[in-house]
Amino acid sequence: MDEIYFPPRELEVMSILWRLGSATVAEVREALDEPLAYTSVLSALQTLEEKGFVRHEPPGRAYK
């Protein structure tokens, strides 16, 4: 089994999603320890989606 590694920013985003269950980009951004631009959080979520760790639900615009 391959070991899963998350860079620090992705790990922080994943930790928020694990805690909340699902969240919008704005909700993840609000829960972060340091302020980040909306587009930076969106980019992190899109990267995690490309890697297959989260999925995007367009109607509610939430990531899980």
Side-chain angles (χ1 to χ4, degrees):
M1 183 173 156
D2 290 335
E3 199 171 302
I4 296 174
Y5 169 77
F6 293 109
R9 176 76 63 230
E10 291 178 17
L11 179 59
E12 187 176 11
V13 169
M14 286 300 299
S15 295
I16 291 165
L17 291 174
W18 287 325
R19 188 174 71 242
L20 298 178
S22 68
T24 63
V25 176
E27 291 166 338
V28 171
R29 184 173 178 246
E30 186 176 301
L32 289 168
D33 289 337
E34 63 180 271
L36 283 180
Y38 181 94
T39 53
S40 296
V41 177
L42 176 60
S43 177
L45 285 163
Q46 288 172 331
T47 298
L48 288 165
E49 185 174 23
E50 288 169 10
K51 292 179 178 181
F53 293 115
V54 299
R55 71 178 189 270
H56 181 207
E57 296 181 348
R61 300 182 338 177
Y63 282 84
K64 291 186 175 190

